[in-house]
Amino acid sequence: MITRTDIEKREYEILSPLAAKAAESKGREYPEEKCQYRTDYQRDRDRIVHSKAFRRLIHKTQVFIAPEDDHYRTRLTHTLEVSQISRTVARILRYNEDLTEAIALGHDLGHTPFGHVGERVLNNIHPGGFAHNVQSLRTVDRIEDTSRRRGLNLTAEVRDGILNHRGSGIPVTLEGQIVRICDRIAYVNHDIDDAVRSGIISLSDLPEKDIGILGTTHSDRINNLIVDLCRNSEGKDSISLSEQFSESLLDLRSFMFRNVYNSAEVLAVADMEKVDLIIRSLYSYFLEHPDEIPGIYKQIEKEDGTQEAVKDWICGMTDRYAIRLYDKLFVPHSWR
């Protein structure tokens, strides 16, 4: 039988000297008794997987809203792909897979319904704006709960990785830096796959120079980016792609923003005006009727104010729940 202390000792034997070690974690905000068999990072991973916010990701948009084809990515499948790529990199470089996995699984828990379209709307209407990485941290700190207290009480390293997976901050651990880059590797490539499936673009539209460097197929690009990332980062105190691969990935990302994410066709299909109407209407309604928000958000309202509580309530909704709630509140129904 392998105990937590066995795993912690083994980390010093197997992992790189640069890897984060569970035994050296800065710990949790609220001290807890250690688990007999799992390290703190393993417990964090398990808490995230068992959270309600994680389960809701299955019904949150990645790029294409409410697609009829079951093969399009959702926010959950995106998260799993980020986790898989990140763990592969961590394993090759001998960094802490458990920490890497926990950060990857939690990085998008604060995403709004309707993907980046929903995020854009909420950012425009909520005082102080909205950023999903900040909301992801807020989700694990304040909104989710365990049997003992509000918040999942995750370790400092996992919380830092979640917050800094995007934006100006850089994760303090190399494991967090792995997730930050692998998030981009995952979404650029799987969004190409979905965009081709949808007919928005074709493979021949992809920038020839970048494809020549990164690879012509989805699997080749993922593999080549992993290999380059590992070769360029081994033994260094930061995680990065080579200059050539970094530039090509950024170029491909820019191509996707021009031709997919911000294209008139995709935004039209996404019914941006309808998404805007749904989120604005729900936001306004619950600001005027805060007594109708669920219990956990009533407590947040007492502590942080009505606007924060309403923002938390709406951004936690799935696409289909937001649509159903809008229909219930604003669409006339026949007498029964």
Side-chain angles (χ1 to χ4, degrees), residues 154-211:
L154 303 180
T155 57
E157 295 78 14
V158 173
R159 295 177 64 254
D160 168 81
I162 289 173
L163 176 63
N164 293 308
H165 81 270
R166 67 182 296 273
S168 59
I170 301 298
V172 296
T173 65
L174 296 176
E175 289 80 0
Q177 293 179 33
I178 287 172
V179 174
R180 182 182 172 95
I181 296 178
C182 290
D183 179 34
R184 180 171 294 180
I185 291 174
Y187 76 69
V188 168
N189 284 287
H190 67 51
D191 290 350
I192 288 174
D193 191 39
D194 282 354
V196 170
R197 180 184 302 278
S198 73
I200 298 295
I201 61 171
S202 65
L203 290 174
S204 61
D205 294 326
L206 298 175
E208 186 174 341
K209 175 186 175 184
D210 301 321
I211 295 305

CSV table of all heavy atoms in Angstrom, one decimal, residues 154-211:
chain,number,residue,atom,x,y,z
A,154,LEU,N,-8.2,25.3,-2.0
A,154,LEU,CA,-7.1,24.7,-2.8
A,154,LEU,C,-5.8,25.2,-2.4
A,154,LEU,O,-5.7,26.3,-1.7
A,154,LEU,CB,-7.3,24.9,-4.3
A,154,LEU,CG,-8.7,24.5,-4.9
A,154,LEU,CD1,-8.7,24.8,-6.4
A,154,LEU,CD2,-8.9,23.0,-4.7
A,155,THR,N,-4.7,24.5,-2.8
A,155,THR,CA,-3.4,25.0,-2.4
A,155,THR,C,-3.0,26.2,-3.2
A,155,THR,O,-3.6,26.5,-4.3
A,155,THR,CB,-2.3,23.9,-2.8
A,155,THR,OG1,-2.4,23.6,-4.2
A,155,THR,CG2,-2.5,22.6,-2.0
A,156,ALA,N,-2.1,27.0,-2.7
A,156,ALA,CA,-1.6,28.2,-3.3
A,156,ALA,C,-1.2,28.0,-4.7
A,156,ALA,O,-1.4,28.9,-5.6
A,156,ALA,CB,-0.5,28.9,-2.4
A,157,GLU,N,-0.5,26.9,-5.0
A,157,GLU,CA,0.1,26.7,-6.3
A,157,GLU,C,-1.0,26.5,-7.4
A,157,GLU,O,-0.9,26.9,-8.5
A,157,GLU,CB,1.1,25.5,-6.3
A,157,GLU,CG,2.3,25.7,-5.5
A,157,GLU,CD,2.1,25.6,-3.9
A,157,GLU,OE1,1.0,25.0,-3.6
A,157,GLU,OE2,2.9,26.0,-3.2
A,158,VAL,N,-2.0,25.7,-7.0
A,158,VAL,CA,-3.1,25.5,-7.9
A,158,VAL,C,-3.9,26.8,-8.2
A,158,VAL,O,-4.3,27.1,-9.3
A,158,VAL,CB,-4.1,24.4,-7.4
A,158,VAL,CG1,-5.3,24.2,-8.3
A,158,VAL,CG2,-3.3,23.0,-7.3
A,159,ARG,N,-4.2,27.5,-7.1
A,159,ARG,CA,-4.9,28.8,-7.2
A,159,ARG,C,-4.1,29.8,-8.1
A,159,ARG,O,-4.7,30.4,-9.0
A,159,ARG,CB,-5.1,29.4,-5.9
A,159,ARG,CG,-6.1,28.6,-5.0
A,159,ARG,CD,-6.2,29.2,-3.6
A,159,ARG,NE,-6.9,30.5,-3.7
A,159,ARG,CZ,-6.2,31.6,-3.5
A,159,ARG,NH1,-4.9,31.7,-3.3
A,159,ARG,NH2,-6.9,32.8,-3.6
A,160,ASP,N,-2.8,29.8,-8.0
A,160,ASP,CA,-2.0,30.7,-8.8
A,160,ASP,C,-2.0,30.3,-10.2
A,160,ASP,O,-2.2,31.1,-11.1
A,160,ASP,CB,-0.5,30.7,-8.3
A,160,ASP,CG,0.4,31.3,-9.3
A,160,ASP,OD1,0.5,32.6,-9.2
A,160,ASP,OD2,1.1,30.6,-10.0
A,161,GLY,N,-2.0,29.0,-10.5
A,161,GLY,CA,-2.0,28.5,-11.9
A,161,GLY,C,-3.3,28.8,-12.6
A,161,GLY,O,-3.4,29.1,-13.8
A,162,ILE,N,-4.4,28.7,-11.8
A,162,ILE,CA,-5.8,29.0,-12.4
A,162,ILE,C,-5.9,30.4,-12.7
A,162,ILE,O,-6.3,30.8,-13.8
A,162,ILE,CB,-6.9,28.6,-11.4
A,162,ILE,CG1,-7.0,27.0,-11.3
A,162,ILE,CG2,-8.2,29.2,-11.8
A,162,ILE,CD1,-7.9,26.5,-10.2
A,163,LEU,N,-5.5,31.3,-11.8
A,163,LEU,CA,-5.6,32.7,-12.0
A,163,LEU,C,-4.7,33.2,-13.2
A,163,LEU,O,-5.1,34.0,-14.0
A,163,LEU,CB,-5.2,33.5,-10.8
A,163,LEU,CG,-5.1,35.0,-10.9
A,163,LEU,CD1,-6.5,35.6,-11.2
A,163,LEU,CD2,-4.6,35.6,-9.6
A,164,ASN,N,-3.5,32.7,-13.3
A,164,ASN,CA,-2.5,33.2,-14.3
A,164,ASN,C,-2.4,32.3,-15.5
A,164,ASN,O,-1.4,32.4,-16.2
A,164,ASN,CB,-1.2,33.3,-13.6
A,164,ASN,CG,-1.2,34.4,-12.5
A,164,ASN,OD1,-1.6,35.5,-12.8
A,164,ASN,ND2,-0.8,34.0,-11.3
A,165,HIS,N,-3.4,31.5,-15.8
A,165,HIS,CA,-3.4,30.7,-17.1
A,165,HIS,C,-3.5,31.6,-18.3
A,165,HIS,O,-3.3,31.2,-19.4
A,165,HIS,CB,-4.4,29.6,-17.1
A,165,HIS,CG,-5.8,30.0,-17.5
A,165,HIS,ND1,-6.7,30.5,-16.5
A,165,HIS,CD2,-6.4,30.1,-18.7
A,165,HIS,CE1,-7.9,30.8,-17.2
A,165,HIS,NE2,-7.7,30.6,-18.5
A,166,ARG,N,-4.0,32.9,-18.1
A,166,ARG,CA,-4.0,33.9,-19.1
A,166,ARG,C,-3.8,35.3,-18.5
A,166,ARG,O,-3.8,35.4,-17.2
A,166,ARG,CB,-5.4,33.9,-19.9
A,166,ARG,CG,-6.5,34.3,-19.0
A,166,ARG,CD,-7.8,34.2,-19.8
A,166,ARG,NE,-7.9,35.1,-20.9
A,166,ARG,CZ,-8.4,36.4,-20.8
A,166,ARG,NH1,-8.7,36.9,-19.6
A,166,ARG,NH2,-8.5,37.1,-21.8
A,167,GLY,N,-3.7,36.3,-19.3
A,167,GLY,CA,-3.5,37.6,-18.7
A,167,GLY,C,-2.0,38.0,-18.5
A,167,GLY,O,-1.1,37.3,-19.0
A,168,SER,N,-1.8,39.1,-17.8
A,168,SER,CA,-0.4,39.6,-17.7
A,168,SER,C,0.4,38.8,-16.7
A,168,SER,O,1.6,38.9,-16.7
A,168,SER,CB,-0.5,41.1,-17.3
A,168,SER,OG,-1.2,41.2,-16.1
A,169,GLY,N,-0.2,38.1,-15.7
A,169,GLY,CA,0.5,37.4,-14.7
A,169,GLY,C,1.1,36.1,-15.2
A,169,GLY,O,0.6,35.5,-16.1
A,170,ILE,N,2.3,35.7,-14.7
A,170,ILE,CA,2.9,34.5,-15.1
A,170,ILE,C,2.9,33.5,-13.9
A,170,ILE,O,3.2,33.9,-12.7
A,170,ILE,CB,4.4,34.7,-15.5
A,170,ILE,CG1,4.5,35.7,-16.6
A,170,ILE,CG2,5.1,33.4,-15.8
A,170,ILE,CD1,3.8,35.2,-17.9
A,171,PRO,N,2.5,32.3,-14.1
A,171,PRO,CA,2.4,31.4,-12.9
A,171,PRO,C,3.7,31.2,-12.2
A,171,PRO,O,4.8,31.2,-12.9
A,171,PRO,CB,2.0,30.0,-13.6
A,171,PRO,CG,1.2,30.5,-14.8
A,171,PRO,CD,1.9,31.7,-15.3
A,172,VAL,N,3.7,31.1,-10.9
A,172,VAL,CA,5.0,30.9,-10.2
A,172,VAL,C,5.6,29.6,-10.4
A,172,VAL,O,6.8,29.4,-10.2
A,172,VAL,CB,4.7,31.2,-8.7
A,172,VAL,CG1,4.3,32.7,-8.5
A,172,VAL,CG2,3.7,30.2,-8.1
A,173,THR,N,4.8,28.6,-10.7
A,173,THR,CA,5.3,27.2,-10.9
A,173,THR,C,5.5,26.9,-12.4
A,173,THR,O,4.8,27.5,-13.2
A,173,THR,CB,4.4,26.1,-10.3
A,173,THR,OG1,3.2,26.1,-11.0
A,173,THR,CG2,4.1,26.4,-8.8
A,174,LEU,N,6.4,26.1,-12.7
A,174,LEU,CA,6.6,25.6,-14.1
A,174,LEU,C,5.4,24.8,-14.5
A,174,LEU,O,5.1,24.9,-15.7
A,174,LEU,CB,7.9,24.8,-14.2
A,174,LEU,CG,9.2,25.6,-13.9
A,174,LEU,CD1,10.4,24.7,-14.0
A,174,LEU,CD2,9.4,26.8,-14.9
A,175,GLU,N,4.8,24.1,-13.6
A,175,GLU,CA,3.6,23.4,-14.0
A,175,GLU,C,2.5,24.3,-14.4
A,175,GLU,O,1.7,24.1,-15.4
A,175,GLU,CB,3.1,22.6,-12.8
A,175,GLU,CG,4.0,21.4,-12.4
A,175,GLU,CD,5.3,21.7,-11.6
A,175,GLU,OE1,5.5,22.9,-11.3
A,175,GLU,OE2,6.0,20.8,-11.3
A,176,GLY,N,2.3,25.5,-13.7
A,176,GLY,CA,1.3,26.5,-14.2
A,176,GLY,C,1.7,27.1,-15.5
A,176,GLY,O,0.8,27.3,-16.3
A,177,GLN,N,3.0,27.3,-15.8
A,177,GLN,CA,3.4,27.8,-17.1
A,177,GLN,C,3.1,26.8,-18.2
A,177,GLN,O,2.8,27.2,-19.3
A,177,GLN,CB,4.9,28.1,-17.0
A,177,GLN,CG,5.2,29.3,-16.1
A,177,GLN,CD,6.7,29.6,-16.0
A,177,GLN,OE1,7.4,29.5,-17.0
A,177,GLN,NE2,7.2,30.1,-14.9
A,178,ILE,N,3.2,25.5,-17.9
A,178,ILE,CA,2.9,24.5,-18.9
A,178,ILE,C,1.5,24.6,-19.3
A,178,ILE,O,1.1,24.6,-20.5
A,178,ILE,CB,3.2,23.1,-18.3
A,178,ILE,CG1,4.7,22.8,-18.2
A,178,ILE,CG2,2.5,22.0,-19.1
A,178,ILE,CD1,5.1,21.5,-17.5
A,179,VAL,N,0.6,24.7,-18.3
A,179,VAL,CA,-0.9,24.8,-18.6
A,179,VAL,C,-1.2,26.1,-19.4
A,179,VAL,O,-2.0,26.0,-20.3
A,179,VAL,CB,-1.7,24.8,-17.3
A,179,VAL,CG1,-3.2,25.0,-17.6
A,179,VAL,CG2,-1.5,23.5,-16.6
A,180,ARG,N,-0.5,27.1,-19.1
A,180,ARG,CA,-0.8,28.4,-19.8
A,180,ARG,C,-0.5,28.3,-21.3
A,180,ARG,O,-1.3,28.7,-22.1
A,180,ARG,CB,0.1,29.5,-19.2
A,180,ARG,CG,0.0,30.9,-19.8
A,180,ARG,CD,0.9,31.9,-19.1
A,180,ARG,NE,0.9,33.2,-19.8
A,180,ARG,CZ,0.2,34.2,-19.4
A,180,ARG,NH1,-0.6,34.1,-18.4
A,180,ARG,NH2,0.3,35.4,-20.1
A,181,ILE,N,0.6,27.6,-21.6
A,181,ILE,CA,0.9,27.4,-23.0
A,181,ILE,C,0.1,26.3,-23.7
A,181,ILE,O,-0.4,26.5,-24.8
A,181,ILE,CB,2.4,27.1,-23.2
A,181,ILE,CG1,3.3,28.3,-22.7
A,181,ILE,CG2,2.8,26.8,-24.7
A,181,ILE,CD1,4.8,28.1,-22.8
A,182,CYS,N,-0.1,25.3,-22.9
A,182,CYS,CA,-0.9,24.1,-23.5
A,182,CYS,C,-2.4,24.5,-23.7
A,182,CYS,O,-3.0,23.9,-24.6
A,182,CYS,CB,-0.7,22.9,-22.6
A,182,CYS,SG,0.9,22.2,-22.7
A,183,ASP,N,-2.9,25.4,-23.0
A,183,ASP,CA,-4.2,25.9,-23.2
A,183,ASP,C,-4.3,26.5,-24.6
A,183,ASP,O,-5.3,26.2,-25.4
A,183,ASP,CB,-4.6,27.0,-22.1
A,183,ASP,CG,-6.0,27.6,-22.3
A,183,ASP,OD1,-6.9,26.9,-22.7
A,183,ASP,OD2,-6.1,28.8,-22.0
A,184,ARG,N,-3.3,27.3,-25.0
A,184,ARG,CA,-3.3,27.9,-26.3
A,184,ARG,C,-3.1,26.8,-27.4
A,184,ARG,O,-3.8,26.8,-28.4
A,184,ARG,CB,-2.3,29.0,-26.4
A,184,ARG,CG,-2.2,29.6,-27.8
A,184,ARG,CD,-1.3,30.8,-27.7
A,184,ARG,NE,-1.8,31.9,-26.9
A,184,ARG,CZ,-1.2,33.1,-26.6
A,184,ARG,NH1,0.0,33.3,-27.2
A,184,ARG,NH2,-1.8,34.0,-25.9
A,185,ILE,N,-2.2,25.9,-27.1
A,185,ILE,CA,-1.9,24.8,-28.1
A,185,ILE,C,-3.2,24.0,-28.3
A,185,ILE,O,-3.6,23.7,-29.5
A,185,ILE,CB,-0.9,23.9,-27.6
A,185,ILE,CG1,0.5,24.6,-27.6
A,185,ILE,CG2,-0.8,22.6,-28.4
A,185,ILE,CD1,1.6,23.7,-26.9
A,186,ALA,N,-4.0,23.8,-27.3
A,186,ALA,CA,-5.2,23.0,-27.4
A,186,ALA,C,-6.3,23.7,-28.2
A,186,ALA,O,-6.8,23.2,-29.1
A,186,ALA,CB,-5.7,22.6,-26.0
A,187,TYR,N,-6.6,25.0,-27.7
A,187,TYR,CA,-7.7,25.6,-28.3
A,187,TYR,C,-7.5,26.1,-29.8
A,187,TYR,O,-8.4,26.0,-30.6
A,187,TYR,CB,-8.3,26.8,-27.5
A,187,TYR,CG,-7.6,28.1,-27.4
A,187,TYR,CD1,-7.5,28.9,-28.6
A,187,TYR,CD2,-7.0,28.5,-26.3
A,187,TYR,CE1,-6.9,30.1,-28.5
A,187,TYR,CE2,-6.3,29.8,-26.2
A,187,TYR,CZ,-6.3,30.6,-27.3
A,187,TYR,OH,-5.6,31.8,-27.3
A,188,VAL,N,-6.3,26.5,-30.1
A,188,VAL,CA,-6.0,26.9,-31.5
A,188,VAL,C,-6.2,25.7,-32.4
A,188,VAL,O,-6.9,25.8,-33.5
A,188,VAL,CB,-4.6,27.4,-31.7
A,188,VAL,CG1,-4.3,27.6,-33.2
A,188,VAL,CG2,-4.5,28.8,-31.0
A,189,ASN,N,-5.7,24.5,-32.0
A,189,ASN,CA,-5.8,23.3,-32.9
A,189,ASN,C,-7.2,22.7,-32.9
A,189,ASN,O,-7.7,22.3,-33.9
A,189,ASN,CB,-4.7,22.3,-32.4
A,189,ASN,CG,-3.3,22.8,-32.9
A,189,ASN,OD1,-3.0,22.7,-34.1
A,189,ASN,ND2,-2.5,23.2,-32.0
A,190,HIS,N,-7.8,22.6,-31.7
A,190,HIS,CA,-9.1,21.9,-31.8
A,190,HIS,C,-10.2,22.9,-32.4
A,190,HIS,O,-11.2,22.4,-32.9
A,190,HIS,CB,-9.6,21.3,-30.4
A,190,HIS,CG,-9.8,22.3,-29.3
A,190,HIS,ND1,-10.7,23.3,-29.4
A,190,HIS,CD2,-9.4,22.2,-28.0
A,190,HIS,CE1,-10.7,23.9,-28.2
A,190,HIS,NE2,-10.0,23.3,-27.4
A,191,ASP,N,-10.0,24.2,-32.2
A,191,ASP,CA,-10.9,25.1,-32.9
A,191,ASP,C,-10.8,25.1,-34.4
A,191,ASP,O,-11.7,25.3,-35.1
A,191,ASP,CB,-10.7,26.5,-32.3
A,191,ASP,CG,-11.2,26.6,-30.9
A,191,ASP,OD1,-11.8,25.7,-30.4
A,191,ASP,OD2,-11.0,27.7,-30.3
A,192,ILE,N,-9.6,24.8,-34.9
A,192,ILE,CA,-9.4,24.6,-36.3
A,192,ILE,C,-10.2,23.4,-36.8
A,192,ILE,O,-10.9,23.5,-37.8
A,192,ILE,CB,-7.9,24.4,-36.7
A,192,ILE,CG1,-7.1,25.7,-36.5
A,192,ILE,CG2,-7.7,23.9,-38.1
A,192,ILE,CD1,-5.6,25.6,-36.7
A,193,ASP,N,-10.1,22.3,-36.0
A,193,ASP,CA,-10.8,21.1,-36.3
A,193,ASP,C,-12.3,21.4,-36.4
A,193,ASP,O,-13.0,20.9,-37.3
A,193,ASP,CB,-10.5,20.1,-35.2
A,193,ASP,CG,-11.0,18.7,-35.6
A,193,ASP,OD1,-10.9,18.3,-36.8
A,193,ASP,OD2,-11.5,18.0,-34.7
A,194,ASP,N,-12.8,22.1,-35.4
A,194,ASP,CA,-14.3,22.4,-35.4
A,194,ASP,C,-14.7,23.4,-36.5
A,194,ASP,O,-15.8,23.2,-37.1
A,194,ASP,CB,-14.7,23.0,-34.0
A,194,ASP,CG,-14.8,21.9,-32.9
A,194,ASP,OD1,-14.7,20.7,-33.3
A,194,ASP,OD2,-15.0,22.3,-31.8
A,195,ALA,N,-13.8,24.3,-36.8
A,195,ALA,CA,-14.1,25.3,-37.8
A,195,ALA,C,-14.2,24.6,-39.2
A,195,ALA,O,-15.0,25.0,-40.0
A,195,ALA,CB,-13.1,26.4,-37.8
A,196,VAL,N,-13.3,23.7,-39.4
A,196,VAL,CA,-13.3,22.9,-40.7
A,196,VAL,C,-14.5,22.1,-40.8
A,196,VAL,O,-15.2,22.0,-41.8
A,196,VAL,CB,-12.0,22.1,-40.8
A,196,VAL,CG1,-12.1,21.1,-42.0
A,196,VAL,CG2,-10.8,23.0,-41.0
A,197,ARG,N,-14.9,21.4,-39.6
A,197,ARG,CA,-16.1,20.6,-39.6
A,197,ARG,C,-17.3,21.4,-39.9
A,197,ARG,O,-18.2,21.0,-40.6
A,197,ARG,CB,-16.2,20.0,-38.2
A,197,ARG,CG,-17.5,19.1,-38.0
A,197,ARG,CD,-17.6,18.6,-36.6
A,197,ARG,NE,-16.4,17.9,-36.2
A,197,ARG,CZ,-16.2,16.6,-36.5
A,197,ARG,NH1,-17.1,15.9,-37.2
A,197,ARG,NH2,-15.1,16.0,-36.1
A,198,SER,N,-17.3,22.7,-39.5
A,198,SER,CA,-18.5,23.5,-39.7
A,198,SER,C,-18.6,24.1,-41.1
A,198,SER,O,-19.6,24.6,-41.5
A,198,SER,CB,-18.5,24.7,-38.7
A,198,SER,OG,-17.5,25.6,-39.1
A,199,GLY,N,-17.5,24.1,-41.8
A,199,GLY,CA,-17.4,24.6,-43.1
A,199,GLY,C,-17.1,26.1,-43.2
A,199,GLY,O,-17.0,26.7,-44.2
A,200,ILE,N,-16.8,26.7,-42.0
A,200,ILE,CA,-16.4,28.1,-41.9
A,200,ILE,C,-15.1,28.3,-42.6
A,200,ILE,O,-14.9,29.3,-43.3
A,200,ILE,CB,-16.3,28.6,-40.4
A,200,ILE,CG1,-17.6,28.4,-39.7
A,200,ILE,CG2,-15.7,30.0,-40.3
A,200,ILE,CD1,-18.7,29.4,-40.2
A,201,ILE,N,-14.1,27.4,-42.5
A,201,ILE,CA,-12.9,27.4,-43.2
A,201,ILE,C,-12.6,26.1,-43.7
A,201,ILE,O,-13.3,25.1,-43.4
A,201,ILE,CB,-11.7,27.9,-42.3
A,201,ILE,CG1,-11.5,26.9,-41.1
A,201,ILE,CG2,-11.9,29.3,-41.8
A,201,ILE,CD1,-10.2,27.1,-40.3
A,202,SER,N,-11.6,26.0,-44.6
A,202,SER,CA,-11.1,24.7,-45.1
A,202,SER,C,-9.7,24.6,-44.8
A,202,SER,O,-9.0,25.6,-44.5
A,202,SER,CB,-11.4,24.5,-46.6
A,202,SER,OG,-10.6,25.5,-47.3
A,203,LEU,N,-9.1,23.4,-44.8
A,203,LEU,CA,-7.7,23.2,-44.5
A,203,LEU,C,-6.8,23.9,-45.4
A,203,LEU,O,-5.8,24.4,-45.0
A,203,LEU,CB,-7.4,21.7,-44.5
A,203,LEU,CG,-8.0,20.8,-43.4
A,203,LEU,CD1,-7.7,19.3,-43.7
A,203,LEU,CD2,-7.4,21.2,-42.1
A,204,SER,N,-7.3,24.1,-46.7
A,204,SER,CA,-6.5,24.9,-47.6
A,204,SER,C,-6.4,26.4,-47.3
A,204,SER,O,-5.5,27.1,-47.8
A,204,SER,CB,-7.0,24.7,-49.0
A,204,SER,OG,-8.4,25.2,-49.1
A,205,ASP,N,-7.3,26.9,-46.4
A,205,ASP,CA,-7.2,28.3,-46.0
A,205,ASP,C,-6.2,28.6,-45.0
A,205,ASP,O,-5.8,29.7,-44.8
A,205,ASP,CB,-8.6,28.7,-45.4
A,205,ASP,CG,-9.7,28.6,-46.4
A,205,ASP,OD1,-9.5,28.9,-47.6
A,205,ASP,OD2,-10.9,28.3,-46.0
A,206,LEU,N,-5.7,27.5,-44.3
A,206,LEU,CA,-4.7,27.8,-43.2
A,206,LEU,C,-3.4,28.3,-43.8
A,206,LEU,O,-3.0,27.9,-44.9
A,206,LEU,CB,-4.4,26.4,-42.5
A,206,LEU,CG,-5.7,25.8,-41.8
A,206,LEU,CD1,-5.3,24.5,-41.2
A,206,LEU,CD2,-6.2,26.7,-40.7
A,207,PRO,N,-2.8,29.2,-43.0
A,207,PRO,CA,-1.5,29.8,-43.5
A,207,PRO,C,-0.5,28.8,-43.9
A,207,PRO,O,-0.1,28.0,-43.0
A,207,PRO,CB,-1.1,30.7,-42.3
A,207,PRO,CG,-2.3,31.0,-41.6
A,207,PRO,CD,-3.2,29.7,-41.7
A,208,GLU,N,0.0,28.8,-45.1
A,208,GLU,CA,0.9,27.7,-45.6
A,208,GLU,C,2.2,27.7,-44.8
A,208,GLU,O,2.7,26.6,-44.5
A,208,GLU,CB,1.1,27.9,-47.1
A,208,GLU,CG,1.9,26.8,-47.7
A,208,GLU,CD,2.0,27.0,-49.2
A,208,GLU,OE1,1.2,27.8,-49.8
A,208,GLU,OE2,2.9,26.4,-49.8
A,209,LYS,N,2.7,28.9,-44.5
A,209,LYS,CA,4.0,28.9,-43.8
A,209,LYS,C,3.9,28.3,-42.4
A,209,LYS,O,4.8,27.5,-42.0
A,209,LYS,CB,4.5,30.4,-43.7
A,209,LYS,CG,5.7,30.5,-42.9
A,209,LYS,CD,6.1,32.0,-42.7
A,209,LYS,CE,7.3,32.2,-41.7
A,209,LYS,NZ,7.5,33.6,-41.4
A,210,ASP,N,2.8,28.6,-41.7
A,210,ASP,CA,2.7,28.1,-40.3
A,210,ASP,C,2.4,26.6,-40.3
A,210,ASP,O,2.9,25.9,-39.5
A,210,ASP,CB,1.6,28.9,-39.6
A,210,ASP,CG,1.8,30.4,-39.6
A,210,ASP,OD1,3.0,30.8,-39.4
A,210,ASP,OD2,0.9,31.2,-39.8
A,211,ILE,N,1.6,26.2,-41.3
A,211,ILE,CA,1.3,24.8,-41.3
A,211,ILE,C,2.6,24.0,-41.7
A,211,ILE,O,2.8,22.9,-41.3
A,211,ILE,CB,0.2,24.5,-42.4
A,211,ILE,CG1,-1.1,25.1,-41.9
A,211,ILE,CG2,0.0,23.0,-42.6
A,211,ILE,CD1,-1.6,24.7,-40.5
